[in-house]
């Protein structure tokens, strides 16, 4: 019973409560009509409810399905203010309407809730992100705001990026955290607007730190040429060693213009590492780039660029190779000369020619071996140039190499070698010229002989003497001429041997050369030709001896008195008569028995003039036997005046008549006085 009563009481109580609830007025915040909800929201700030209750009710409205209601709720929260509203405003940042999110953001900004504002920085709406970034950059300390500004640089909105780049630079001026600013500005590498990238580079450039160089260096790899150029200029104007690595990367830039600028900037830095990057440009596929790199290295002109410039000697372009040779010669160190010498092995004749001419301008002992290599060049012109340059150096080593060219198969090369040796002159080239006398070409042999002549040393004369044995008559004749031009007693033995040559023209010329020397030794030597098989030579010999001979040639003239030819015998008699000595007279005596009347007459004429008593008996014998020359014989005995002649005169006196008698009587009278 009691239980039933309790149950009935509870039912009655619950029914009363429901009835009371049904009779209470409805809350407009939950009305089905959105305008009622809007009015309720707008009335909340001015209601008498507690502040927290107001905020709780507005938090419900922030999630209303109608935008107008949610917007009114945000406005009401902003009107109420205070930190308690931050939670509701923060929830509104997730609203799908940008207008609501930005109102909520402004409320949070007004409250100074930085942490909450940070959430808006990732909003999809540009205005919200911009508003959040602007607020953070204004209210946060410079060093703290840099982090957000760095993020803004990579924002997808140009407006945000522009603000971030320009603002972060302003922060850089007022904060010591330059490295952080630099890193954040470096984020501009990926922005689409080239003007922002250029601004970022400008701003980083103001910062003097290794990080700044590194961040600008990143832009060297950008796909946009204007950006790369800006970065390159910034690094180049710094001109410090830490920029070299990044400027060096621009050597491979797709733009020739930037490659050229990179080379110029590296040259201004001029450190060893900068030079290495310039040298690397010599391997570029673009001809103009390689040329510019080479010219720049040439301007450096120091030992350190020798090897890089040497690599340019292998370039595919001739003009680059030729310039490389020029710059190496300007440097002119031993290593530079070695690099030039290596170019003598080039397949291009112009390159070899330029290298050879450069070595030829050096004209020192260090280039001799290199010039000698050119003597084996396939081009005659280069071989001749090499000989000329070696001649100008004129050291013993240079001359030895020239002498080596005497073995070259090309006759022009051998001729040039002979000429160079000959123009050098002196005993040191005699042996080499002597070997040229054995050359297979006549003109080379004669050329060598001509150059031996002015040397005129004992060694040169020996070489000319050797040439007299050559099987070519022209060579032998040239040797005779050369010996004659030397023209002193040293050549007499050689010319004397030439008098035995098998050719009469050579013997004749040798005779003339001996005659031109006109010393006692030469005259004595040529007298040997009295017995020459050629009558013209014998005749000329006698004639020379008749004019220039002396007692030294009596024996030779005496032999000529027995020559086969009448004219030679006749001239020999007169030559002996001109000598006038008793020994000469004795050599004339055999001519008194000559078969030719003219020779006998000449003998009588000379003996009478000479007047030696030893001639009286031979002349007397002629008086006895030669009736045709009895008058001349009698006159000769009279001139001699020897009493030995009287017996011959008296013996023939009874047997003569007329003019002969008169001549005999006059002779007897002359002797008898």
């Amino acid at each position: 019973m009691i239980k039933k009563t309790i149950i009935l009481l509870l039912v009655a109580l619950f029914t009363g409560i429901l009835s009371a609830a049904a009779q209470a007025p409805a809350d407009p915040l939950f009305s089905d009509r959105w305008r009622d909800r809007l009015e309720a929201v707008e009335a909340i700030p001015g209601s008498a409810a507690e502040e927290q209750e107001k905020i709780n009710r507005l938090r419900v409205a922030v999630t209303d399905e109608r935008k107008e209601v949610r917007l009114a709720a945000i406005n009401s929260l902003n009107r109420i203010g205070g930190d308690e509203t931050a939670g509701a405003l923060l929830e509104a940042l997730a609203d799908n309407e940008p207008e609501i999110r930005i109102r909520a953001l402004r409320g949070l900004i007004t409250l100074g809730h930085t942490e909450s504002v940070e959430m808006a920085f990732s909003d999809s709406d540009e205005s919200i992100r911009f508003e959040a970034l602007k607020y953070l950059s204004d209210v946060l300390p410079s060093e703290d705001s840099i982090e957000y500004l760095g993020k803004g640089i990579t924002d997808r909105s140009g407006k945000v990026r522009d603000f971030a780049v320009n603002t972060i630079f302003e922060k850089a001026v007022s904060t010591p955290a330059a490295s952080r600013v630099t890193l954040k500005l470096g984020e501009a590498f990926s922005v689409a607007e080239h003007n922002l990238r250029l601004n970022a580079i400008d701003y980083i450039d103001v910062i003097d730190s290794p990080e700044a160089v590194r961040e600008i260096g990143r832009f060297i790899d950008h796909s946009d040429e204007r950006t790369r150029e800006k970065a390159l200029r910034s690094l180049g104007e710094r001109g410090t060693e830490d920029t070299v690595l990044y400027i060096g990367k621009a050597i491979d830039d797709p733009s020739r213009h930037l490659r050229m600028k990179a080379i110029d900037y590296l040259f201004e830095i001029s450190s060893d590492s900068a030079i290495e990057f310039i040298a690397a440009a010599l391997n570029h596929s673009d001809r103009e780039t390689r040329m510019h790199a080479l010219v720049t290295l040439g301007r450096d002109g120091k030992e350190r660029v020798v090897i890089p410039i040497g690599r340019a000697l292998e370039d595919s372009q001739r003009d680059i190779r030729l310039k490389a040779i020029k710059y190496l010669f300007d440097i002119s160190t031993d290593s530079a000369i070695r690099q030039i010498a290596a170019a003598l092995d080039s397949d291009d004749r112009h390159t070899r020619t330029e290298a050879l001419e450069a070595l030829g301008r050096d004209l020192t002992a260090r280039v001799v071996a290199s010039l000698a290599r050119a003597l084996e060049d396939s081009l005659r012109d280069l071989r001749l140039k090499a000989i000329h340059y070696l001649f100008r150096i004129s050291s013993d080593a240079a001359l030895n190499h020239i002498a080596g060219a005497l073995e070259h198969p090309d006759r022009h090369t051998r001729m040039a070698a002979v000429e160079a040796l000959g123009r050098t002159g002196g005993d040191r080239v005699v042996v080499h010229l002597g070997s040229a006398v054995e050359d297979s070409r006549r003109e080379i042999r004669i050329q060598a002989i001509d150059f031996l002549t002015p040397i005129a040393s004992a060694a040169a004369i020996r070489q000319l003497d050797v040439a007299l044995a050559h099987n070519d008559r022209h060579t032998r004749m040239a040797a005779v001429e050369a010996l004659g031009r030397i023209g002193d007693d040293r050549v007499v033995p050689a010319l004397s041997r030439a008098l035995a040559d098998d050719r009469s023209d050579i013997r004749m010329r040798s005779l003339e050369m001996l005659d031109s020397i006109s010393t006692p030794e030469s005259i004595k030597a040529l007298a040997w030709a009295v017995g020459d098989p050629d009558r013209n030579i014998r005749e000329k010999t006698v004639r020379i001896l008749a004019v220039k001979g002396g007692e030294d040639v009596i024996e030779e003239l005496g032999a000529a008195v027995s020559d086969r030819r009448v004219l030679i015998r006749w001239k020999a008699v007169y030559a002996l008569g001109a000598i006038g000595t008793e020994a000469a007279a004795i050599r004339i005596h055999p001519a008194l028995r000559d078969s030719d009347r003219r020779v006998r007459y000449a003998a009588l004429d000379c003996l009478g003039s000479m007047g030696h008593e030893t001639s009286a008996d031979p002349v007397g014998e002629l008086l006895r036997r030669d009736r045709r020359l009895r008058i001349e014989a009698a006159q000769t005995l009279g001139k001699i005046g020897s009493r030995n002649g009287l017996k011959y005169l008296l013996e023939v006196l009874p047997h003569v008549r007329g003019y002969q008698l008169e001549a005999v009587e006059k002779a007897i009278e002359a002797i008898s006085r």
Side-chain angles (χ1 to χ4, degrees), residues 633-651:
Q635 292 172 342
T636 300
L637 286 171
K639 292 177 181 178
I640 294 173
S642 173
R643 290 190 174 275
N644 290 340
L646 281 175
K647 63 180 179 180
Y648 299 105
L649 292 168
L650 292 173
E651 182 182 337

Side-chain angles (χ1 to χ4, degrees), residues 121-179:
F121 194 66
S122 58
D123 196 278
S124 60
D125 186 80
E126 172 189 293
S127 300
I128 295 174
R129 297 195 305 276
F130 180 80
E131 191 92 17
L133 183 59
K134 187 174 183 303
Y135 167 73
L136 292 171
S137 68
D138 288 340
V139 302
L140 292 178
S142 294
E143 293 187 23
D144 295 336
S145 64
I146 287 171
E147 187 69 28
Y148 297 102
L149 290 168
K151 293 179 181 179
I153 289 175
T154 58
D155 194 89
R156 56 185 177 275
S157 164
K159 179 180 178 182
V160 176
R161 294 194 298 267
D162 185 66
F163 174 79
V165 168
N166 290 295
T167 305
I168 203 169
F169 175 68
E170 295 172 3
K171 299 290 183 182
V173 176
S174 60
T175 178
S179 60

Side-chain angles (χ1 to χ4, degrees), residues 25 73 86 100 115 495 550 652:
I100 293 174
E115 296 81 358
L495 288 172
V652 299

Side-chain angles (χ1 to χ4, degrees), residues 160-393:
V160 176
R161 294 194 298 267
D162 185 66
F163 174 79
V165 168
N166 290 295
T167 305
I168 203 169
F169 175 68
E170 295 172 3
K171 299 290 183 182
V173 176
S174 60
T175 178
S179 60
R180 290 185 60 205
V181 174
T182 301
L183 292 173
K184 296 308 176 184
L185 283 169
E187 298 297 327
F189 179 89
S190 57
V191 301
E193 297 88 352
H194 79 272
N195 62 306
L196 291 184
R197 295 192 299 270
L198 302 188
N199 287 344
I201 293 171
D202 279 338
Y203 296 152
I204 297 174
D205 194 33
V206 174
I207 302 169
D208 184 14
S209 69
E211 292 81 2
V213 172
R214 185 169 59 249
E215 290 303 316
I216 296 175
R218 290 181 58 207
F219 288 88
I220 292 292
D221 296 322
H222 203 277
S223 59
D224 176 58
E225 180 176 336
R226 290 169 296 183
T227 302
R228 299 196 305 274
E229 181 175 7
K230 182 74 171 181
L232 179 60
R233 183 184 302 115
S234 174
L235 294 170
E237 289 174 354
R238 281 178 179 252
T240 55
E241 179 63 27
D242 57 353
T243 64
V244 169
L245 176 63
Y246 304 104
I247 297 175
K249 293 169 67 176
I251 294 294
D252 294 318
D253 196 274
S255 167
R256 176 187 295 168
H257 168 68
L258 295 189
R259 295 194 298 269
M260 301 291 195
K261 277 190 170 295
I263 291 171
D264 290 339
Y265 287 135
L266 288 168
F267 178 69
E268 290 176 7
I269 297 171
S270 202
S271 64
D272 289 346
S273 57
I275 293 298
E276 288 177 7
F277 276 109
I278 297 174
L282 292 173
N283 299 320
H284 202 278
S285 58
D286 176 57
R287 170 189 173 280
E288 298 301 326
T289 301
R290 299 197 305 275
M291 177 63 83
H292 191 61
L294 176 61
V295 170
T296 304
L297 292 172
R299 288 167 58 199
D300 183 77
K302 298 176 184 175
E303 176 68 25
R304 62 181 179 176
V305 301
V306 167
I307 292 178
I309 293 178
R311 290 202 298 269
L313 295 174
E314 301 296 327
D315 197 274
S316 59
Q317 293 290 318
R318 177 188 299 162
D319 55 347
I320 292 179
R321 297 194 299 269
L322 301 189
K323 270 194 177 293
I325 291 171
K326 173 188 177 299
Y327 291 133
L328 286 169
F329 178 74
D330 290 342
I331 297 171
S332 204
T333 62
D334 289 347
S335 58
I337 294 298
R338 285 194 294 271
Q339 293 289 343
I340 296 174
L344 293 174
D345 297 325
S346 175
D347 294 333
D348 175 56
R349 66 185 182 93
H350 298 282
T351 301
R352 299 200 304 276
T353 300
E354 185 72 15
L356 181 60
E357 290 177 351
L359 294 171
R361 291 194 297 273
D362 186 78
L363 293 181
T364 61
R366 63 181 178 175
V367 302
V368 168
S370 302
L371 291 173
R373 288 167 52 194
L375 294 176
E376 300 300 323
D377 198 275
S378 59
L379 286 175
R380 177 189 300 161
D381 288 348
L382 293 190
R383 296 195 299 270
L384 301 190
K385 278 181 179 287
I387 290 172
H388 172 69
Y389 294 137
L390 287 168
F391 159 70
R392 293 182 63 189
I393 296 172

Side-chain angles (χ1 to χ4, degrees), residues 4 41 111-112 139 147 204 233 235 397 435 508 567 593 615 654:
K4 185 175 181 181
V41 168
L111 295 175
V139 302
E147 187 69 28
I204 297 174
R233 183 184 302 115
L235 294 170
S435 66
M508 178 64 81
L567 181 60
R593 295 187 293 273
S615 300

